[in-house]
Amino acid sequence: MTTEEYNRCVDDFSDGVYRFILKNLRDEDKAKDVIQDTFEKMWVKAADISYLKAKSYLFSAAYHTMIDMIRKDKRQTNFDKVNPEDHSHTEQYNDLNEVLHRALNQLAEDQRSVIMLRDYEGYSYREISQITGFSESQVKVYIYRGRQYLKEYIGSIEAVV
């Protein structure tokens, strides 16, 4: 087929092939893509196709291209229709709390008490001193030593999480 015959095929048959594909796909953009791919295939094989058989070649190539597109679309998922809650979870197990409780249980009773009062309850050194009966400086020492032990026991927060 010559270039002139190819251009004549485009003029003569493109509307008919487009209507055929559009009726089946019901999507103008996809139909245009199929037609474009079909005419590209015809251009690549133009030397092997005679002008007399061009119409049947175009319709069969368009049909097979359309079937390939339909099969491809079936394999792909439209994410607008997917419910993210079906494929994800919001509950996450985080054992950081468990690690902290194990670490606190390793402390001496006095250190654990003052750390709990300071870090969990938010009391001041003076208030902890009044509650426990320790001197204020002793409370500070227990808190410091307890925190040091916890730091060594737990290590870096990145290793735990």
Side-chain angles (χ1 to χ4, degrees):
M1 170 183 316
T2 65
T3 305
E4 184 180 304
E5 289 174 331
Y6 176 83
N7 289 334
R8 204 171 334 138
C9 285
V10 171
D11 293 338
D12 294 344
F13 307 127
S14 62
D15 289 338
V17 177
Y18 175 73
R19 284 193 308 271
F20 169 70
I21 298 299
L22 183 61
K23 272 189 175 181
N24 288 296
L25 288 179
R26 297 183 187 106
D27 185 344
E28 290 182 21
D29 293 330
K30 287 183 180 180
K32 288 177 183 176
D33 288 344
V34 168
I35 299 304
Q36 183 175 358
D37 290 346
T38 303
F39 277 102
E40 179 188 8
K41 289 176 185 176
M42 186 174 173
W43 177 254
V44 170
K45 294 188 176 191
D48 301 334
I49 302 169
S50 78
Y51 177 74
L52 299 174
K53 301 205 179 208
K55 183 176 181 180
S56 64
Y57 176 84
L58 281 172
F59 274 89
S60 66
Y63 174 76
H64 290 291
T65 304
M66 177 186 71
I67 296 299
D68 290 343
M69 181 179 281
I70 290 170
R71 287 180 181 157
K72 180 182 163 191
D73 288 347
K74 280 185 181 178
R75 286 184 295 205
Q76 294 179 347
T77 304
N78 185 354
F79 284 107
D80 295 336
K81 296 178 184 177
V82 173
N83 185 2
E85 294 176 7
D86 293 342
H87 302 288
S88 64
H89 59 87
T90 56
E91 295 178 20
Q92 180 177 346
Y93 176 71
N94 187 347
D95 61 346
L96 181 59
N97 194 25
E98 182 181 325
V99 171
L100 287 173
H101 283 292
R102 266 190 283 143
L104 283 170
N105 288 333
Q106 298 292 322
L107 291 174
E109 182 64 36
D110 295 336
Q111 290 176 347
R112 182 173 48 249
S113 298
V114 294
I115 285 180
M116 296 292 285
L117 288 170
R118 176 73 177 168
D119 295 335
Y120 283 89
E121 301 299 326
Y123 287 109
S124 68
Y125 294 120
R126 178 172 287 136
E127 292 170 325
I128 296 171
S129 173
Q130 292 170 352
I131 292 170
T132 60
F134 299 132
S135 68
E136 200 171 321
S137 61
Q138 189 62 44
V139 168
K140 290 178 183 178
V141 169
Y142 282 158
I143 289 174
Y144 175 78
R145 288 181 182 165
R147 286 179 180 166
Q148 286 299 110
Y149 177 80
L150 291 174
K151 184 177 176 182
E152 289 175 21
Y153 180 86
I154 294 173
S156 68
I157 194 71
E158 290 82 15
V160 174
V161 177

